[in-house]
Amino acid sequence: AAQPMTDDLPDAPPAAAAPAAAQAPEAATAEAPKVLPLSAWSVDKGSSLAFATVWSGQAIEGQFERWSADITFSPDQLDKSKVNVSIDLTSARTGDAQRDASLAGPDWFDADAHGQAVFTATRFEKTGEDRYVAHGQLSLRGVSKVFDLPFRLKIDGDKARMSGVTSLDRTAFGVGQGEWQATDQIPAAVKVSVKLTATRK
């Protein structure tokens, strides 16, 4: 009768392995990426909000020296994320003082009447690895339009790096009055780009 008991011994290792197999899913769960908390972010110095166009065949690049962003964001809680950006339109700099003064004037930004442009987004969409779109609204020169900003985002601990590029139709906002309404010298499409680093508050 001892022989059958000996035959049963090979069954012991698989039975012993069963608890280890049961633990495997728990180990995998422990290694899964943590859900990033919804956090407020402070924009670091060195971040830029720039624009580019063409003026009579000459490429013009500039940026706004004064702007602020109120950011609450988590890639894992897009439904609760929101961004509000305020831009001082008198702070546009293109490397030419006379041109910069014209930009703030009534034919362009009309900064005396509308000193700030504001972009607000409360809906975000993930479109790929580290890629998103902020669906929002841009208010410029007293005109508000739907405005989408595709961007790339990388979060490493308490630091975030973001870059986005899009374009807007300046004529839709009335930017360029009188002779500048025409698009022969200055096209309607203006490239807008943002690069920023931010620190979790």
Side-chain angles (χ1 to χ4, degrees), residues 153-189:
L153 175 70
K154 192 74 173 178
I155 297 177
D156 184 9
D158 289 336
K159 282 290 184 181
R161 298 183 184 278
M162 175 267 192
S163 62
V165 178
T166 189
S167 65
L168 61 80
D169 180 350
R170 65 174 179 84
T171 64
F173 294 91
V175 176
Q177 294 290 305
E179 64 177 306
W180 305 114
Q181 287 181 324
T183 56
D184 53 344
Q185 294 190 62
I186 302 176

Side-chain angles (χ1 to χ4, degrees), residues 13-24:
Q23 291 174 5

Side-chain angles (χ1 to χ4, degrees), residues 34-130:
K34 293 181 179 179
V35 174
L36 293 176
L38 186 68
S39 302
W41 297 85
S42 176
V43 177
D44 297 342
K45 290 182 177 180
S47 300
S48 66
L49 177 58
F51 57 91
T53 185
V54 176
W55 195 316
S56 300
Q58 179 185 1
I60 302 295
E61 295 184 356
Q63 63 179 350
F64 294 97
E65 292 189 337
R66 293 185 298 277
W67 57 281
S68 62
D70 184 6
I71 304 170
T72 303
F73 188 87
S74 168
D76 296 321
Q77 299 186 60
L78 295 180
D79 58 327
K80 297 179 181 178
S81 298
K82 57 185 178 180
V83 170
N84 189 82
V85 181
S86 297
I87 306 157
D88 182 346
L89 295 177
T90 66
S91 72
R93 299 292 181 266
T94 63
D96 183 296
Q98 184 175 358
R99 182 169 56 218
D100 296 348
S102 296
L103 283 176
D107 284 345
W108 295 99
F109 294 143
D110 195 14
D112 284 346
H114 309 284
Q116 289 190 329
V118 177
F119 172 64
T120 302
T122 55
R123 188 166 71 87
F124 295 84
E125 176 186 2
K126 185 171 184 177
T127 58
E129 186 68 23
D130 299 331

